[in-house]
Amino acid sequence: MLKHVINDVTVVTFAIAVLAALSLVALQRAHEVQVAETTIPSCHTAHCHAMNPGHWL
């Protein structure tokens, strides 16, 4: 019984750690995109969007 509880706690702890890591990566990427948007001049034409390499990332 105790072994099952330890296994369950380990699985839950691992899942929380993975979710926390993914959340941090998502926040970092969102911040990078926000910084990139402020440094790249805005262009609203189809040609500009198609030629902008950041548009395809």
Side-chain angles (χ1 to χ4, degrees):
M1 178 71 175
L2 180 62
K3 187 175 182 178
H4 291 291
V5 171
I6 292 172
N7 286 342
D8 291 345
V9 169
T10 302
V11 168
V12 170
T13 303
F14 179 74
I16 290 171
V18 169
L19 288 173
L22 290 173
S23 297
L24 288 174
V25 169
L27 286 172
Q28 181 182 5
R29 287 188 60 111
H31 178 69
E32 290 173 0
V33 167
Q34 186 178 20
V35 168
E37 286 177 351
T38 59
T39 58
I40 297 173
S42 101
C43 176
H44 299 289
T45 63
H47 176 73
C48 181
H49 283 296
M51 299 305 290
N52 182 0
H55 176 74
W56 300 104
L57 297 177

